[in-house]
Amino acid sequence: MHWFVESPLLTLFFCVGVGALIGRIPFGPVSFGPAGALFTALALSAIDSDVALPTIVTNLSLCVFCYTVGIAAGPAFVSALRTGWKPVLVSVTAIIAMAATALGVGKALDFDIGTIAGAFSGAGTATAALGAVQQQLAGDGEIPPEPAIGYAVAYPITVFLTILACAYLIGVGRRKPTAEDREKVAPIVVRTMEVVGNPGLTVHDLGKRYEAVVSRLTRGGKTVVAHDAESIESGDLLTVTAREDVFARLVAELGHEAAEEVWLNRSNIDFRRITLSNRGYVGRELHDLRLEEKYDAVVSRVRRGDVDLIATPDLVLQSGDRLRVTAPRDRLIDISKDLGDSERTAGDINPIGLGLGLTIGLILAFVELPLPGGGTLVLGTATAPLIVGVVLGALGRTGPVVWTLPGNVSNTLNQFTLMVFLVAVGTGAGSGLVTALADEGLQLVVLGLTISAAHALVCVFALRSLLQFGTARALGGLTGSQLNPAPYAYAMGKVPDQRVALGYAVLFPVSMIFKVFLAQLMVVYF
């Protein structure tokens, strides 16, 4: 053990490696993922309380983790507030119920506010909230162990309880399916249709009305790239990229499906997936590329991560996006050079945006907000970078400065810094956890169980009964509000529907930010 005491680096990477292995071990339908690093660090520090990491490691990992969460969540956060307010309201209500339960049960069981706020953070899987609570309670640089103890006990409880809630929603959906449950999210297809009659539409009009992209137009046996201003005439063959149900509606209203797929003939008009790595285009809308004007080209689809998106003109582009471009065969090389088409460049860490963004966030961390009643809210190195990340992520870029990070870079930084922070938290709380479990283990379990149950009950009732969501959207709302990746993975495994992923992605940033602020307010006022 003295090796771990003498070498914080050994401790860090041992806990990350062994914790990752433990996190992959299935316990029934679930594994603990990154939390394995927390439990490994707790075990080490329980054996020897001198095992610890420097404070700078905690602060560095926490601020980078919160910033990358904010950057990735910025666009979805704005969209959620604008269009998805009903599930957002459910999530906010459920989180308030969690906080009220934590305070009520915690005070009844005579726990200090650090343990209560930590249990709230653990029951909400809000690591950023845990960091904010620790900083709010820190005195003379000393981070109290109580929040981490509450977090460590509540975390596994909420994983199992949320999975039980997911299983309940799935069971109800099978017994009493709604109309939404019977619907399937149609995949994106590339098909050719023949226009019958004169629809009085241009290519642009058709794309806007039906949320589709026309990439080729064949008239009189000649195939060309479809230009927005081109009028559609009877007998035209249109190569359309759209959801399968949208294409079916197009065919029903404007013509019939063609006997042959002309887009398979690539002798003159060809298509290719091209990776966007030119920083001049990152954070800009698709129409800003002016590909039609410069290269007689059309983008029909964008693949971002593992998801295909219809290439609407207002789609904001990110580094690493793979654009499916249709153009004259001899222009594809020029288009590739213009867009960059470099996986290495697309995976660049963007040190300018990352460094400047974190600088703004850490300057804001010094801000102390006066609260009614005489309290003070310290934004700190958790909340401030999170807020700045959300704002900059929504902006995308400011002049020549790109704020967003490539998806693979953001995911890597996010996962690694999360595990490092959990190790730092665990090494400071192991001995205290052993004592707490020995003295009041049952009370801690009751606290974590009631907080998690409050969230699950509100979400299940409101999403299924009040909003009448189908199984997929209800699962997305529940797991997105909860934040935990394990129940989300369970839900996706049982119901592999994109509506689960969409609901999770929409609610994740809202829930994270609200939990961070609420956890701090709990500490200030109670």
Side-chain angles (χ1 to χ4, degrees):
M1 287 301 299
H2 74 276
W3 291 349
F4 293 109
V5 173
E6 293 177 3
S7 175
L9 283 177
L10 173 61
T11 299
L12 172 61
F13 288 107
F14 174 83
C15 291
V16 167
V18 174
L21 287 173
I22 293 173
R24 291 188 178 185
I25 297 174
F27 295 91
V30 65
S31 57
F32 288 118
L38 171 65
F39 299 139
T40 304
L42 286 168
L44 271 186
S45 62
I47 296 170
D48 191 330
S49 60
D50 290 332
V51 174
L53 297 185
T55 303
I56 184 63
V57 175
T58 307
N59 293 334
L60 174 63
S61 57
L62 179 62
C63 72
V64 175
F65 167 71
C66 291
Y67 181 75
T68 55
V69 167
I71 282 289
F77 180 79
V78 174
S79 175
L81 294 181
R82 187 173 63 246
T83 61
W85 64 269
K86 289 183 179 179
V88 167
L89 182 60
V90 170
S91 178
V92 168
T93 304
I95 294 168
I96 292 173
M98 288 175 66
T101 303
L103 290 168
V105 176
K107 293 294 185 181
L109 295 175
D110 202 29
F111 283 117
D112 62 273
I113 191 60
T115 303
I116 293 171
F120 168 80
S121 303
T125 326
T127 307
L130 171 62
V133 167
Q134 288 180 318
Q135 291 183 344
Q136 193 77 33
L137 291 172
D140 300 325
E142 291 293 327
I143 297 177
E146 289 81 10
I149 293 169
Y151 183 97
V153 174
Y155 185 99
I157 293 172
T158 201
V159 170
F160 283 108
L161 201 62
T162 307
I163 284 179
L164 287 177
C166 289
Y168 172 79
L169 286 172
I170 294 168
V172 169
R174 288 171 179 168
R175 292 192 303 271
K176 299 178 180 179
T178 64
E180 188 177 297
D181 285 327
R182 298 186 184 96
E183 294 177 359
K184 300 294 182 184
V185 176
I188 295 176
V189 297
V190 182
R191 302 269 176 81
T192 302
M193 64 168 291
E194 181 175 353
V195 179
V196 176
N198 189 347
L201 297 173
T202 64
V203 169
H204 175 267
D205 295 335
L206 185 147
K208 187 174 182 180
R209 177 181 297 182
Y210 292 94
E211 295 185 8
V213 176
V214 181
S215 55
R216 291 174 177 78
L217 186 151
T218 303
R219 182 180 296 163
K222 182 179 179 181
T223 300
V224 297
V225 173
H227 296 160
D228 279 349
E230 186 71 45
S231 296
I232 298 172
E233 301 175 2
S234 181
D236 286 349
L237 298 180
L238 306 179
T239 300
V240 179
T241 299
R243 297 285 179 190
E244 195 169 38
D245 56 336
V246 172
F247 181 78
R249 185 158 61 94
L250 261 171
V251 168
E253 295 179 7
L254 300 182
H256 57 78
E257 191 164 356
E260 60 176 332
E261 295 290 353
V262 294
W263 62 274
L264 294 175
N265 181 352
R266 303 170 63 174
S267 55
N268 295 316
I269 306 298
D270 203 355
F271 61 89
R272 182 182 302 171
R273 281 197 185 274
I274 300 175
T275 300
L276 180 67
S277 59
N278 183 342
R279 292 203 172 277
Y281 295 141
V282 174
R284 301 195 184 280
E285 295 183 349
L286 179 60
H287 64 81
D288 291 332
L289 271 61
R290 298 169 41 238
L291 294 183
E292 179 182 333
E293 176 185 334
K294 293 190 293 185
Y295 303 107
D296 191 22
V298 172
V299 179
S300 57
R301 270 187 285 178
V302 174
R303 188 162 181 83
R304 180 171 296 164
D306 297 329
V307 178
D308 278 319
L309 307 170
I310 299 293
T312 56
D314 59 350
L315 179 66
V316 177
L317 298 170
Q318 297 181 9
S319 182
D321 282 351
R322 286 161 288 170
L323 282 59
R324 179 161 171 149
V325 181
T326 299
R329 192 179 183 87
D330 58 355
R331 302 306 307 271
L332 285 172
I333 293 177
D334 296 331
I335 298 171
S336 294
K337 290 179 180 178
D338 189 9
L339 299 183
D341 201 22
S342 169
E343 293 286 351
R344 182 190 62 79
T345 304
D348 183 72
I349 198 173
N350 185 15
I352 296 175
L354 181 63
L356 291 178
L358 277 168
T359 298
I360 297 170
L362 292 173
I363 290 174
L364 188 63
F366 289 105
V367 173
E368 297 182 1
L369 301 177
L371 297 174
T376 302
L377 180 67
V378 181
L379 292 182
T381 54
T383 310
L386 178 64
I387 295 171
V388 170
V390 168
V391 173
L392 296 182
L395 289 175
R397 68 184 299 147
T398 304
V401 179
V402 177
W403 300 114
T404 56
L405 297 172
N408 56 345
V409 172
S410 180
N411 288 336
T412 300
L413 283 174
N414 184 279
Q415 291 179 36
F416 181 67
T417 52
L418 170 60
M419 295 188 75
V420 171
F421 175 70
L422 290 174
V423 171
V425 168
T427 53
S431 58
L433 177 63
V434 173
T435 303
L437 290 176
D439 294 342
E440 46 197 7
L442 180 60
Q443 294 96 313
L444 282 169
V445 170
V446 169
L447 178 61
L449 189 62
T450 52
I451 299 172
S452 300
H455 179 273
L457 289 171
V458 171
C459 282
V460 168
F461 174 75
L463 293 171
R464 183 72 190 190
S465 300
L466 294 183
L467 298 185
Q468 297 289 309
F469 279 6
T471 303
R473 281 210 293 168
L475 288 170
L478 170 63
T479 55
S481 179
Q482 182 52 255
L483 306 180
N484 198 297
Y488 169 69
Y490 171 82
M492 283 296 290
K494 295 293 184 180
V495 185
D497 190 314
Q498 279 195 335
R499 287 171 292 190
V500 180
L502 180 61
Y504 183 88
V506 166
L507 284 184
F508 184 97
V510 180
S511 303
M512 174 70 81
I513 292 170
F514 191 60
K515 287 175 183 178
V516 169
F517 274 108
L518 203 54
Q520 286 184 282
L521 291 176
M522 289 168 65
V523 172
V524 171
Y525 284 112
F526 298 95

